[in-house]
Amino acid sequence: MYFVRSWLAIGTHEDAAQADLLAAHNIGAVLLLTQPTHQPVVPALHLPLTDDAFIPAYRIRQGTQFIHDQRNCGRRILIVCETGIRLSVAFAMAAIKEKHGNALPLIDVFKSIARQQPAANLPPVLWDSLFACFDDEPSYDVLWYQIQMLTRRPLYEL
């Protein structure tokens, strides 16, 4: 589990299944992506998604609405997916972007999350989902990153 903001953490389904871990970190709600996890301790929302498919804006908004509702209730939120580095990062980015609006570009949100979770790794389809949701254009940094992800090696080696 990695905290990307004082009120927001990302992790795996294994993290969400550990009631003692949730209690130790004061987690008050869980957004479950990909698969449901038995979690009777805190409020939870399950969104069955995959990290290799485009996510429509309404699904992103459904997840971020849950996040903001829980935060408004004073709860810390854990977002979980299979690996804790793709879908959970994308939804954390969306929630942070909504909180800050246009003042914080998506690439800067990603960089701030990657400082807390160095393994953060969004495939191009998740970047595309976020850009479509926020009606934004990708920056040069994001395009560079997407090309590297598609080729699976740094561009300077091509």
Side-chain angles (χ1 to χ4, degrees), residues 11-151:
T12 65
H13 287 284
E14 293 166 3
D15 295 332
Q18 299 178 45
D20 57 336
L21 181 65
L22 298 180
H25 291 285
N26 254 350
I27 299 296
V30 179
L31 176 59
L32 304 162
L33 306 172
T34 66
Q35 67 181 350
T37 301
H38 178 65
Q39 186 41 262
V41 180
V42 297
L45 173 66
H46 172 235
L47 297 177
L49 302 170
T50 63
D51 61 11
D52 61 353
F54 184 85
I55 303 170
Y58 80 91
R59 281 297 222 189
I60 294 172
R61 302 266 187 238
Q62 186 179 9
T64 58
Q65 183 66 51
F66 174 80
I67 292 167
H68 295 305
D69 288 347
Q70 297 305 312
R71 182 167 187 248
N72 290 338
C73 290
R75 296 183 180 113
R76 291 174 111 184
I77 302 99
L78 172 62
I79 306 172
V80 299
C81 64
E82 293 295 324
T83 61
I85 61 172
R86 290 180 173 221
L87 281 171
S88 57
V89 169
F91 275 80
M93 288 175 63
I96 294 166
K97 174 72 174 168
E98 282 184 352
K99 184 176 181 300
H100 293 282
N102 290 331
L104 195 57
L106 282 168
I107 188 65
D108 291 341
V109 177
F110 177 78
K111 288 175 182 177
S112 73
I113 290 172
R115 282 191 292 275
Q116 303 304 316
Q117 169 45 303
N121 184 0
L122 262 64
V125 71
L126 292 182
W127 278 106
D128 292 344
S129 301
L130 291 170
F131 283 118
C133 179
F134 292 103
D135 196 30
D136 201 354
E137 290 295 321
S139 67
Y140 177 80
D141 290 349
V142 173
L143 293 174
W144 181 268
Y145 174 82
Q146 288 181 334
I147 292 167
Q148 288 185 16
M149 288 298 301
L150 290 171
T151 61

